[in-house]
Amino acid sequence: MSRILTGLIAAVAIYFLFRILASKRNKPEEPVKYVCDECGEKDCVCHREDEIPK
């Protein structure tokens, strides 16, 4: 009985670890916080993110 319970606990733990890892891989990209007002790129050399003109 102890082996069955240990196997069941291990299977549940492996299942939840797999679910956690799978959810991190399928996570969508975070929305872009900055788009250049000159060239429209997300990552450019026109301005730094902290130098956005107002």
Side-chain angles (χ1 to χ4, degrees), residues 12-32:
V12 169
I14 290 170
Y15 171 77
F16 281 112
L17 287 174
F18 176 75
R19 292 280 308 232
I20 290 169
L21 292 175
S23 70
K24 286 184 180 180
R25 275 190 238 143
N26 297 333
K27 193 173 186 180
E29 272 190 36
E30 291 185 20
V32 178

Side-chain angles (χ1 to χ4, degrees), residues 35-52:
V35 176
C36 180
D37 58 339
E38 290 183 21
C39 65
E41 291 293 320
K42 299 175 190 174
D43 193 18
C44 74
V45 294
C46 299
H47 300 289
R48 287 181 37 167
E49 188 171 344
D50 57 352
E51 296 175 354
I52 300 174

